[in-house]
PDB file of all heavy atoms in Angstrom:
ATOM      1  N   THR A 877     -11.086  28.171 -18.644  1.00  0.00           N
ATOM      2  CA  THR A 877     -10.591  29.440 -18.089  1.00  0.00           C
ATOM      3  C   THR A 877     -10.110  30.409 -19.164  1.00  0.00           C
ATOM      4  O   THR A 877     -10.209  31.622 -18.986  1.00  0.00           O
ATOM      5  CB  THR A 877      -9.433  29.200 -17.098  1.00  0.00           C
ATOM      6  OG1 THR A 877      -8.408  28.423 -17.728  1.00  0.00           O
ATOM      7  CG2 THR A 877      -9.915  28.456 -15.862  1.00  0.00           C
ATOM      8  N   ALA A 878      -9.586  29.870 -20.270  1.00  0.00           N
ATOM      9  CA  ALA A 878      -9.129  30.733 -21.373  1.00  0.00           C
ATOM     10  C   ALA A 878     -10.087  30.709 -22.550  1.00  0.00           C
ATOM     11  O   ALA A 878      -9.868  31.405 -23.540  1.00  0.00           O
ATOM     12  CB  ALA A 878      -7.731  30.297 -21.828  1.00  0.00           C
ATOM     13  N   GLY A 879     -11.140  29.897 -22.447  1.00  0.00           N
ATOM     14  CA  GLY A 879     -12.096  29.761 -23.551  1.00  0.00           C
ATOM     15  C   GLY A 879     -13.247  30.749 -23.480  1.00  0.00           C
ATOM     16  O   GLY A 879     -14.326  30.484 -24.036  1.00  0.00           O
ATOM     17  N   PHE A 880     -13.037  31.856 -22.791  1.00  0.00           N
ATOM     18  CA  PHE A 880     -14.054  32.904 -22.680  1.00  0.00           C
ATOM     19  C   PHE A 880     -13.429  34.227 -23.124  1.00  0.00           C
ATOM     20  O   PHE A 880     -12.238  34.468 -22.890  1.00  0.00           O
ATOM     21  CB  PHE A 880     -14.559  33.024 -21.239  1.00  0.00           C
ATOM     22  CG  PHE A 880     -15.288  31.807 -20.747  1.00  0.00           C
ATOM     23  CD1 PHE A 880     -14.588  30.742 -20.187  1.00  0.00           C
ATOM     24  CD2 PHE A 880     -16.667  31.715 -20.859  1.00  0.00           C
ATOM     25  CE1 PHE A 880     -15.242  29.616 -19.746  1.00  0.00           C
ATOM     26  CE2 PHE A 880     -17.337  30.593 -20.415  1.00  0.00           C
ATOM     27  CZ  PHE A 880     -16.640  29.536 -19.858  1.00  0.00           C
ATOM     28  N   ALA A 881     -14.235  35.089 -23.728  1.00  0.00           N
ATOM     29  CA  ALA A 881     -13.715  36.351 -24.241  1.00  0.00           C
ATOM     30  C   ALA A 881     -13.309  37.294 -23.117  1.00  0.00           C
ATOM     31  O   ALA A 881     -12.294  37.995 -23.213  1.00  0.00           O
ATOM     32  CB  ALA A 881     -14.757  37.013 -25.141  1.00  0.00           C
ATOM     33  N   THR A 882     -14.091  37.303 -22.031  1.00  0.00           N
ATOM     34  CA  THR A 882     -13.813  38.226 -20.922  1.00  0.00           C
ATOM     35  C   THR A 882     -14.043  37.530 -19.584  1.00  0.00           C
ATOM     36  O   THR A 882     -14.677  36.469 -19.521  1.00  0.00           O
ATOM     37  CB  THR A 882     -14.735  39.458 -20.978  1.00  0.00           C
ATOM     38  OG1 THR A 882     -16.097  39.023 -20.771  1.00  0.00           O
ATOM     39  CG2 THR A 882     -14.623  40.160 -22.315  1.00  0.00           C
ATOM     40  N   PHE A 883     -13.548  38.156 -18.525  1.00  0.00           N
ATOM     41  CA  PHE A 883     -13.793  37.651 -17.169  1.00  0.00           C
ATOM     42  C   PHE A 883     -15.284  37.661 -16.859  1.00  0.00           C
ATOM     43  O   PHE A 883     -15.797  36.751 -16.189  1.00  0.00           O
ATOM     44  CB  PHE A 883     -13.045  38.496 -16.143  1.00  0.00           C
ATOM     45  CG  PHE A 883     -13.449  38.201 -14.726  1.00  0.00           C
ATOM     46  CD1 PHE A 883     -13.067  37.023 -14.101  1.00  0.00           C
ATOM     47  CD2 PHE A 883     -14.244  39.103 -14.025  1.00  0.00           C
ATOM     48  CE1 PHE A 883     -13.457  36.743 -12.798  1.00  0.00           C
ATOM     49  CE2 PHE A 883     -14.642  38.835 -12.721  1.00  0.00           C
ATOM     50  CZ  PHE A 883     -14.247  37.652 -12.098  1.00  0.00           C
ATOM     51  N   ALA A 884     -16.003  38.668 -17.349  1.00  0.00           N
ATOM     52  CA  ALA A 884     -17.449  38.745 -17.097  1.00  0.00           C
ATOM     53  C   ALA A 884     -18.167  37.533 -17.691  1.00  0.00           C
ATOM     54  O   ALA A 884     -19.094  36.987 -17.072  1.00  0.00           O
ATOM     55  CB  ALA A 884     -18.010  40.037 -17.684  1.00  0.00           C
ATOM     56  N   ASP A 885     -17.739  37.105 -18.887  1.00  0.00           N
ATOM     57  CA  ASP A 885     -18.342  35.918 -19.507  1.00  0.00           C
ATOM     58  C   ASP A 885     -18.071  34.685 -18.654  1.00  0.00           C
ATOM     59  O   ASP A 885     -18.962  33.843 -18.453  1.00  0.00           O
ATOM     60  CB  ASP A 885     -17.773  35.707 -20.912  1.00  0.00           C
ATOM     61  CG  ASP A 885     -18.176  36.815 -21.873  1.00  0.00           C
ATOM     62  OD1 ASP A 885     -19.236  37.437 -21.654  1.00  0.00           O
ATOM     63  OD2 ASP A 885     -17.426  37.065 -22.840  1.00  0.00           O
ATOM     64  N   TRP A 886     -16.836  34.570 -18.176  1.00  0.00           N
ATOM     65  CA  TRP A 886     -16.487  33.422 -17.326  1.00  0.00           C
ATOM     66  C   TRP A 886     -17.275  33.460 -16.019  1.00  0.00           C
ATOM     67  O   TRP A 886     -17.827  32.446 -15.585  1.00  0.00           O
ATOM     68  CB  TRP A 886     -14.984  33.448 -17.026  1.00  0.00           C
ATOM     69  CG  TRP A 886     -14.534  32.319 -16.130  1.00  0.00           C
ATOM     70  CD1 TRP A 886     -14.155  31.067 -16.536  1.00  0.00           C
ATOM     71  CD2 TRP A 886     -14.421  32.345 -14.703  1.00  0.00           C
ATOM     72  NE1 TRP A 886     -13.828  30.304 -15.439  1.00  0.00           N
ATOM     73  CE2 TRP A 886     -13.983  31.061 -14.293  1.00  0.00           C
ATOM     74  CE3 TRP A 886     -14.659  33.310 -13.738  1.00  0.00           C
ATOM     75  CZ2 TRP A 886     -13.768  30.717 -12.967  1.00  0.00           C
ATOM     76  CZ3 TRP A 886     -14.451  32.978 -12.394  1.00  0.00           C
ATOM     77  CH2 TRP A 886     -14.010  31.704 -12.014  1.00  0.00           C
ATOM     78  N   ASN A 887     -17.344  34.618 -15.420  1.00  0.00           N
ATOM     79  CA  ASN A 887     -18.017  34.777 -14.130  1.00  0.00           C
ATOM     80  C   ASN A 887     -19.505  34.472 -14.233  1.00  0.00           C
ATOM     81  O   ASN A 887     -20.117  33.981 -13.276  1.00  0.00           O
ATOM     82  CB  ASN A 887     -17.804  36.200 -13.605  1.00  0.00           C
ATOM     83  CG  ASN A 887     -17.977  36.295 -12.110  1.00  0.00           C
ATOM     84  OD1 ASN A 887     -17.566  35.396 -11.373  1.00  0.00           O
ATOM     85  ND2 ASN A 887     -18.594  37.363 -11.647  1.00  0.00           N
ATOM     86  N   ALA A 888     -20.098  34.739 -15.386  1.00  0.00           N
ATOM     87  CA  ALA A 888     -21.520  34.449 -15.588  1.00  0.00           C
ATOM     88  C   ALA A 888     -21.795  32.953 -15.576  1.00  0.00           C
ATOM     89  O   ALA A 888     -22.839  32.495 -15.096  1.00  0.00           O
ATOM     90  CB  ALA A 888     -21.990  35.068 -16.908  1.00  0.00           C
TER      91      ALA A 888
END
Side-chain angles (χ1 to χ4, degrees):
T877 54
F880 295 86
T882 65
F883 169 73
D885 293 333
W886 179 87
N887 202 39

